[in-house]
Amino acid sequence: MEVNRDEAARALDIAQKKWTTGDSAGALRIARKSHSLYPTPLSEKLVAEYEQSASPSPPKEEAESELRSRTKPATVKAQEENTRTHTPQQLASVKAVISAKSDYYRVLGAERTATEVELKRAYRKSALLFHPDKNFAPGADEAFKLVAHAFNVLSDAEKRAHYDRFGVDGGRDAGSRPMQRRRGAEDEVSPEELFNMFFGGDTGGRFGVQFGPNVRFAQHFSNNHRRQRGADEEESERSLWSACLQFMPLVFLVLPLFGSSLLSLLFAGSVMPNYSFDLSPPYTESRLTQMRGVQYWVDPAEYARSSLGAEGGALRELRSFERDVEAQYVSRLQRKCRQEKEHKRMEIHMAQGWFGIGNDRARLQAAMDLPLPACDELRRFR
């Protein structure tokens, strides 16, 4: 998708940096993600090159570093831990996340009805709160990983639907479709890479992260999910075509019997005029629905050519047309109402600050007083 182009380019840049530092496995994983976000000849070439050259074993330097870490004297580790401090609030937050690790919504601090935007906002907040470079409380590492895993699941529509139905290992998922589960685990973005995709950068800090605002993130989709979706669509098209072939003889038998009356019934909807809820050319003629008085605009020439504008136009057709107008009007109000509520929530959140820091009472009051005209009109209409 075109909207993922920038994210794919940034991910590909991170993959090339990892490759130059000797992290072949990480480079291959990130290059694959870039290719799934926005395929380009360069990403395809790098994926093929990394697949041929990547080794399953970690580089010698990483293995030695890990060995030194495991064999480090306990006294040295204790001294390092003592130099780090944390607040009681940080420790309490870490314990709360770890205790709720099977409830991904609680881990992220989001509602079960949260939208994609709300999930991303919740992840940003939690990732900064539990990042081990910022939070030295015991268990912050685990909490940071739990937050990333929860977002990986809930940001994927298919995984989220499965989790909402079965839970972490509920239902038949605990023992069924083992290959599919393993593939999902392999495609999941690691906590460090997910953080980098949100906040940018690949240098600095324990996880190679630079903190900063005004960053963007595009949700990733795995190649397996794309292939599965393509197979499902192909199978659906074959089934539809097969059904059409089965009913074709019946159509040829019925059509001559009913003649023009059947054709007029099938294509009656095509003569209905277009309309708009805003005055804009060519929709310049104002009309009101008879039932609820909803104002809409039509193209005078098109309306005159339609069955509604013809002399003695059918009243039943007009009522059916205006019911559709009113239904679309309600749908439009609902959409605007959701946008107004989302804007108000965001203004309140910004005015409250972060954990009370930067609280602006005047701005908070102004946010609380923001009107919701579409929501008010929707209540009156109902």
Side-chain angles (χ1 to χ4, degrees):
M1 295 175 64
E2 190 66 27
V3 295
N4 294 336
R5 186 171 185 173
D6 293 340
E7 297 299 334
R10 183 162 58 185
L12 198 62
D13 184 56
I14 294 175
Q16 291 174 304
K17 290 180 181 179
K18 285 183 177 292
W19 182 259
T20 58
T21 58
D23 185 3
S24 57
L28 177 58
R29 185 168 57 253
I30 299 297
R32 284 173 174 169
K33 292 301 175 185
S34 172
H35 192 67
S36 68
L37 286 171
Y38 190 85
T40 63
L42 178 58
S43 64
E44 184 177 4
K45 175 184 176 182
L46 291 180
V47 168
E49 178 184 343
Y50 295 167
E51 285 178 343
Q52 292 177 358
S53 305
S55 173
S57 59
K60 180 178 178 181
E61 294 80 0
E62 290 186 8
E64 292 177 353
S65 175
E66 184 179 353
L67 179 62
R68 287 195 299 270
S69 176
R70 289 200 302 265
T71 57
K72 186 180 292 186
T75 55
V76 176
K77 290 183 178 180
Q79 290 175 358
E80 290 179 352
E81 293 295 331
N82 290 335
T83 60
R84 298 178 173 183
T85 60
H86 59 272
T87 65
Q89 292 81 1
Q90 288 178 323
L91 181 59
S93 300
V94 168
K95 289 182 177 179
V97 166
I98 294 177
S99 65
K101 60 182 178 181
S102 60
D103 187 340
Y104 294 158
Y105 292 100
R106 284 181 58 196
V107 168
L108 275 182
E111 299 291 338
R112 297 188 72 87
T113 57
T115 63
E116 180 183 351
V117 174
E118 291 170 339
L119 288 176
K120 289 178 181 179
R121 187 185 304 124
Y123 171 78
R124 288 176 185 274
K125 182 178 178 180
S126 298
L128 287 173
L129 178 62
F130 298 114
H131 194 285
D133 281 348
K134 296 292 183 181
N135 190 332
F136 301 129
D141 246 337
E142 182 181 356
F144 181 71
K145 293 175 182 177
L146 285 173
V147 167
H149 177 65
F151 180 79
N152 270 314
V153 172
L154 299 182
S155 62
D156 185 293
E158 184 178 354
K159 293 180 181 178
R160 181 178 182 179
H162 189 274
Y163 168 75
D164 287 342
R165 185 176 180 184
F166 297 109
V168 176
D169 281 317
R172 296 186 179 181
D173 183 63
S176 64
R177 301 185 300 170
M179 292 302 295
Q180 182 174 350
R181 289 182 53 142
R182 282 199 291 271
R183 287 198 299 268
E186 291 172 359
D187 287 333
E188 184 171 297
V189 178
S190 70
E192 299 86 350
E193 292 161 355
L194 180 62
F195 193 92
N196 282 333
M197 293 173 74
F198 262 93
F199 296 96
D202 193 46
T203 58
R206 177 177 176 183
F207 289 112
V209 174
Q210 292 178 338
F211 293 91
N214 302 324
V215 294
R216 296 180 299 159
F217 173 75
Q219 177 180 346
H220 75 282
F221 295 90
S222 67
N223 288 330
N224 290 331
H225 176 69
R226 290 178 183 272
R227 285 195 295 269
Q228 181 63 36
R229 184 174 61 183
D232 292 343
E233 291 176 352
E234 184 178 351
E235 180 65 25
S236 176
E237 290 176 1
R238 285 199 297 266
S239 300
L240 180 60
W241 178 244
S242 176
C244 290
L245 289 178
Q246 291 177 3
F247 283 100
M248 192 65 69
L250 181 61
V251 171
F252 283 114
L253 286 174
V254 173
L255 190 58
L257 298 177
F258 291 92
S260 60
S261 60
L262 179 60
L263 290 175
S264 62
L265 179 63
L266 290 174
F267 298 102
S270 62
V271 297
M272 292 298 176
N274 295 313
Y275 59 90
S276 171
F277 293 113
D278 300 306
L279 173 60
S280 60
Y283 306 105
T284 57
E285 182 178 322
S286 174
R287 300 187 64 86
L288 296 175
T289 62
Q290 297 178 3
M291 291 292 294
R292 308 298 297 272
V294 174
Q295 185 180 34
Y296 63 101
W297 304 81
V298 297
D299 179 353
E302 182 185 20
Y303 192 86
R305 291 193 302 268
S306 70
S307 59
L308 300 180
E311 185 176 354
L315 181 60
R316 180 179 299 177
E317 290 186 2
L318 178 61
R319 288 177 178 174
S320 176
F321 173 73
E322 290 189 343
R323 278 198 298 269
D324 179 71
V325 171
E326 291 173 350
Q328 292 299 322
Y329 181 70
V330 171
S331 178
R332 185 174 187 248
L333 286 179
Q334 290 172 338
R335 184 170 61 254
K336 285 189 173 183
C337 179
R338 286 194 297 268
Q339 293 172 350
E340 290 171 356
K341 287 182 177 179
E342 177 66 21
H343 174 67
K344 186 171 184 176
R345 280 197 297 267
M346 184 175 294
E347 288 296 321
I348 292 174
H349 176 74
M350 296 297 293
Q352 288 174 337
W354 193 24
F355 293 102
I357 300 176
N359 183 287
D360 188 336
R361 293 183 178 275
R363 184 178 179 183
L364 178 60
Q365 186 59 48
M368 295 290 290
D369 294 338
L370 279 175
L372 304 174
C375 299
D376 296 338
E377 175 64 20
L378 185 60
R379 283 192 294 270
R380 286 194 298 269
F381 192 85
R382 288 176 175 173

